[in-house]
């Protein structure tokens, strides 16, 4: 797909009416989105993405008809090629989650089209194989921890899965120890229950923000100190204070994506009051958000994000009923170029 390509006049009308920007806004925003080669895989939403070394991987998801188990890898020098699919023993799935520890990726939970899942699988690029790992279970295995639309992150050699939907929103947090192949309960998320949130890591701290619970978009944001196992609330992401810094905040959304690069975090796209193209930059030192260059592909939700080559990338997702396969990376300090 080329930047600005329309997906039919009806879709174009929806995107343009919901997400139009005036020239003044374009001039004020910073950064540039550049389109990359589209995925060789079929278009999809609700996939997972992870990076190992100099290669990004995208897999699973929903193509509008069925859940998927295939994986594809991308390297800027070599382009796209197929990677090892989830094994036949593993259900095809969407709305799963993934994290990386010691150059191995862990993919689990999600939805197979009928039930929520709690299994986890580990991929090693050295062997090219997937290995079954301990499912997400607590001290009482009779209590299901299966879920979809959770968030995950990795800190200090441990993986974490938090929030999600087990039939309703959740706020529990579980830590995976790869040496013991075991899940341990951690301090529950400090905010209210939620699903379809995003997580990112700055330094040794993990942040969870956005999402929804009982159809209500959440405007709180929390940071997790893994060493102390506690949560601290940060400034809210809507205009709710008496201070002026949040007068222009309109970050509340769900099914967005997030990535962190160069000590800044970015929350991009999503859905709430319409399908979004917004890009918000977060400074963890000042606890402030700045609106930067809007995403330059089609407005979307349920995309994936990853960091490769020092740049944040956004790929795939859905706009209305249409799954996507395009890929863009963001250059926060670049001058806007409408032709790339």
């Amino acid at each position: 797909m080329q930047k600005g390509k329309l997906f039919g006049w009806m879709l174009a009308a929806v995107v343009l009416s919901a997400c139009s920007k005036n020239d003044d806004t374009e001039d004020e925003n910073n950064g540039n989105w550049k389109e990359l080669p589209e995925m060789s895989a079929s278009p999809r939403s609700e996939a997972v993405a992870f990076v190992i070394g100099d290669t990004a991987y995208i897999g699973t998801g929903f193509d509008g008809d069925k859940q998927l188990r295939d994986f594809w890898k991308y390297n800027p020098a070599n382009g796209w090629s197929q990677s090892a699919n989830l094994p036949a023993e593993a259900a095809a799935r969407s709305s799963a989650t993934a994290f990386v520890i010691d150059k191995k990726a862990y993919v689990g939970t999600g939805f197979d089209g009928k039930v929520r899942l709690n299994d986890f699988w580990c991929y090693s690029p050295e062997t090219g194989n997937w290995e079954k790992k301990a499912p997400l279970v607590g001290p009482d295995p009779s209590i299901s921890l299966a879920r979809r639309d959770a968030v995950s992150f990795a800190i200090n050699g441990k993986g974490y899965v938090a929030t999600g939907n087990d039939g309703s929103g959740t706020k529990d947090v579980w830590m995976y120890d790869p040496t013991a192949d075991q899940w341990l309960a951690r301090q529950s998320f400090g905010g209210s229950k939620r699903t379809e949130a995003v997580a990112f890591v700055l330094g040794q701290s993990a942040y969870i923000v956005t999402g929804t619970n009982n159809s209500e978009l959440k405007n709180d944001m929390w940071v997790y100190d893994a060493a102390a196992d506690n949560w601290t609330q940060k400034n809210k992401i809507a205009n709710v204070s008496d201070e002026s810094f949040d007068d222009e905040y309109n970050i509340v959304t769900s099914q967005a994506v997030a990535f962190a690069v160069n000590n800044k975090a970015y929350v991009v796209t999503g859905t709430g009051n319409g399908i979004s193209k917004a890009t918000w930059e977060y400074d963890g030192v000042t606890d402030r958000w700045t609106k930067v260059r809007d995403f330059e592909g089609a407005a979307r939700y349920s995309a994936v994000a990853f960091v490769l080559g020092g740049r944040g990338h956004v790929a795939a997702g859905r706009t209305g009923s249409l799954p996507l396969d395009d890929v863009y990376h963001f250059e926060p300090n670049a001058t806007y170029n409408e032709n790339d």
Side-chain angles (χ1 to χ4, degrees), residues 39-55:
M39 296 167 53
S40 298
S42 59
R44 66 194 63 202
S45 62
E46 303 162 54
V48 297
F50 55 84
V51 173
I52 302 176
D54 61 359
T55 302

Side-chain angles (χ1 to χ4, degrees), residues 25-144:
T25 301
E26 296 242 355
D27 291 340
E28 292 171 359
N29 285 350
N30 299 316
N32 183 62
W33 288 93
K34 183 176 181 179
E35 188 171 18
L36 303 178
E38 64 189 33
M39 296 167 53
S40 298
S42 59
R44 66 194 63 202
S45 62
E46 303 162 54
V48 297
F50 55 84
V51 173
I52 302 176
D54 61 359
T55 302
Y57 298 78
I58 296 178
T60 67
F62 182 65
D63 67 2
D65 179 55
K66 62 184 181 300
Q67 273 70 27
L68 305 169
R69 63 159 46 86
D70 59 332
F71 269 85
W72 297 77
K73 57 186 179 181
Y74 173 74
N75 179 286
N78 302 318
W80 288 94
S81 60
Q82 189 158 15
S83 183
N85 297 343
L86 280 177
E89 182 185 353
R93 68 195 64 203
S94 59
S95 303
T97 195
F99 53 84
V100 173
I101 302 173
D102 294 333
K103 298 182 179 180
K104 293 182 178 180
Y106 296 81
V107 175
T109 68
F111 180 65
D112 70 359
K114 294 182 179 179
V115 298
R116 299 170 188 85
L117 305 169
N118 74 339
D119 58 335
F120 261 83
W121 298 83
C122 175
Y123 175 74
S124 170
E126 291 185 359
T127 65
N129 296 325
W130 290 91
E131 180 182 0
K132 190 173 185 179
K133 293 296 182 179
L136 177 58
V137 295
D140 183 352
S142 67
I143 300 176
S144 175

Side-chain angles (χ1 to χ4, degrees), residues 120 200 252 278 286 300:
F120 261 83
F200 56 83
V252 289
T286 63
R300 67 193 62 200

Side-chain angles (χ1 to χ4, degrees), residues 159-182:
Y160 295 81
V161 171
T163 67
N165 184 312
D166 65 357
S168 61
T170 66
K171 59 180 294 180
D172 53 342
V173 178
W174 297 88
M175 183 187 76
Y176 177 73
D177 181 344
T179 301
D181 188 27
Q182 182 181 21

Side-chain angles (χ1 to χ4, degrees), residues 26-313:
E26 296 242 355
D27 291 340
E28 292 171 359
N29 285 350
N30 299 316
N32 183 62
W33 288 93
K34 183 176 181 179
E35 188 171 18
L36 303 178
E38 64 189 33
M39 296 167 53
S40 298
S42 59
R44 66 194 63 202
S45 62
E46 303 162 54
V48 297
F50 55 84
V51 173
I52 302 176
D54 61 359
T55 302
Y57 298 78
I58 296 178
T60 67
F62 182 65
D63 67 2
D65 179 55
K66 62 184 181 300
Q67 273 70 27
L68 305 169
R69 63 159 46 86
D70 59 332
F71 269 85
W72 297 77
K73 57 186 179 181
Y74 173 74
N75 179 286
N78 302 318
W80 288 94
S81 60
Q82 189 158 15
S83 183
N85 297 343
L86 280 177
E89 182 185 353
R93 68 195 64 203
S94 59
S95 303
T97 195
F99 53 84
V100 173
I101 302 173
D102 294 333
K103 298 182 179 180
K104 293 182 178 180
Y106 296 81
V107 175
T109 68
F111 180 65
D112 70 359
K114 294 182 179 179
V115 298
R116 299 170 188 85
L117 305 169
N118 74 339
D119 58 335
F120 261 83
W121 298 83
C122 175
Y123 175 74
S124 170
E126 291 185 359
T127 65
N129 296 325
W130 290 91
E131 180 182 0
K132 190 173 185 179
K133 293 296 182 179
L136 177 58
V137 295
D140 183 352
S142 67
I143 300 176
S144 175
L145 298 179
R147 67 194 61 204
R148 59 182 296 175
D149 297 310
V151 300
S152 63
F153 51 89
I155 297 177
N156 292 331
K158 301 292 194 296
Y160 295 81
V161 171
T163 67
N165 184 312
D166 65 357
S168 61
T170 66
K171 59 180 294 180
D172 53 342
V173 178
W174 297 88
M175 183 187 76
Y176 177 73
D177 181 344
T179 301
D181 188 27
Q182 182 181 21
W183 292 92
L184 299 172
R186 299 286 88 183
Q187 180 65 42
S188 292
F189 174 62
S192 59
K193 297 177 180 180
R194 71 195 56 205
T195 185
E196 299 170 347
V198 298
F200 56 83
V201 174
L202 291 174
Q204 296 300 309
S205 299
Y207 297 74
I208 294 180
V209 66
T210 71
T212 184
N213 188 40
N214 294 321
S215 300
E216 178 186 17
L217 294 171
K218 310 307 294 183
N219 66 7
D220 55 339
M221 176 172 172
W222 296 76
V223 60
Y224 179 66
D225 181 333
D229 188 27
N230 64 33
W231 293 89
T232 302
Q233 187 166 17
K234 308 301 286 185
N235 286 319
K236 292 191 175 182
I237 59 171
N239 180 18
V240 296
S241 77
D242 294 331
E243 304 293 333
S244 61
F245 70 85
D246 61 2
D247 286 352
E248 304 300 322
Y249 281 12
N250 186 21
I251 309 169
V252 289
T253 187
S254 69
Q255 301 177 73
V257 294
F259 57 84
V261 62
N262 296 330
N263 299 315
K264 300 289 179 62
Y266 298 84
V267 171
V268 191
T269 67
T271 183
N273 297 316
I275 306 174
S276 177
K277 300 177 74 169
T279 304
W280 289 91
E281 179 186 82
Y282 178 71
D283 186 326
V285 175
T286 63
D287 193 18
R288 299 288 189 270
W289 293 87
T290 303
K291 192 173 188 300
V292 293
R293 176 68 55 181
D294 277 2
F295 180 69
E296 293 174 36
R300 67 193 62 200
Y301 56 95
S302 296
V304 295
F306 56 89
V307 174
L308 187 65
R311 296 186 177 98
H313 294 63

